[in-house]
């Protein structure tokens, strides 16, 4: 690879890192061709972009990026694969379900999720439990609707008379 090609790769990686809010670093080395194809297919179905990168080029792209990747460049040893996704917990769920089949791979090296940095495979469960923006918004809407539903059901059960409505509301 020529110097110019390396600079182009670094620029591309820097742009991808700048545009992504969720970046996972994983180790998929040791997977045979069929299993790697299955992983790539699962990533495609889950709308996760998977790319194998050179550690030195990725480290330079992280340094060139405006984002603070914290200690993530320190985990760039051995084989590294990048996973980009729109949902924060998508790659973690995929790794967990895929690992159920392969027993030990892919390994989570680290993740950058919405400005937070997670280092190590022991963080996988925490990443799986992160709620997406849509899930958080849904939870908030449910919480906001709950009191209104209680009041409406109380009004309906009061029999439509003012005394019954007041009694029902005072009990709530």
């Amino acid at each position: 690879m020529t110097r110019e090609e390396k600079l182009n790769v670094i620029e591309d990686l820097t742009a991808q890192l700048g545009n992504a809010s969720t970046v996972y670093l994983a180790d998929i080395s040791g997977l045979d061709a069929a299993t790697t194809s299955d992983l790539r297919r699962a990533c495609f179905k889950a709308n996760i972009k998977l790319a194998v990168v050179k550690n030195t080029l990725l480290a330079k792209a992280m340094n060139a990026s405006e984002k603070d990747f914290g200690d993530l460049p320190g985990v760039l040893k051995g084989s590294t694969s990048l996973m980009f996704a729109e949902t924060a917990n998508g790659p973690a769920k995929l790794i967990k379900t895929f690992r159920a089949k392969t027993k030990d791979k892919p390994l989570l090296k680290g993740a950058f999720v919405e400005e937070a940095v997670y280092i190590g495979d022991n963080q996988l469960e925490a990443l799986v439990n992160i709620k997406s923006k849509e899930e958080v918004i849904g939870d908030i809407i449910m919480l906001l609707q709950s009191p209104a539903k209680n009041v409406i059901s109380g009004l309906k059960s009061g029999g439509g008379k003012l005394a019954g409505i007041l009694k029902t509301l005072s009990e709530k």
Side-chain angles (χ1 to χ4, degrees), residues 85-100:
E86 295 295 322
T87 57
N89 62 359
K93 287 181 177 180
L94 183 117
I95 289 171
K96 186 176 179 179
T97 57
F98 202 80
R99 194 182 291 172

Side-chain angles (χ1 to χ4, degrees), residues 25 42 60 64 66-68 80 88 107 125 132 140 157 166:
L25 304 177
K60 288 179 181 180
E66 294 178 5
K67 294 183 179 179
D68 180 17
T80 303
L107 287 176
E125 200 60 39
S132 68
I140 292 170
S157 69
L166 289 174

Side-chain angles (χ1 to χ4, degrees), residues 152-171:
I152 291 170
S153 68
L155 292 174
K156 287 181 181 177
S157 69
K161 298 194 182 201
L162 187 58
I165 292 171
L166 289 174
K167 180 181 175 193
T168 303
L169 288 176
S170 68
E171 291 171 359

Side-chain angles (χ1 to χ4, degrees), residues 9 12 16 28 30 34 38 70 72 83-84 96 98 109 112 114 117 125 127 134 137 147 153 167 169:
V9 170
D12 290 344
Q16 289 176 350
I28 64 170
D38 291 343
L72 271 183
M83 300 174 100
F84 295 104
K96 186 176 179 179
F98 202 80
K109 290 181 161 190
F112 177 83
E114 301 289 338
V117 176
E125 200 60 39
L127 289 164
E134 291 79 16
I137 290 170
S153 68
K167 180 181 175 193
L169 288 176

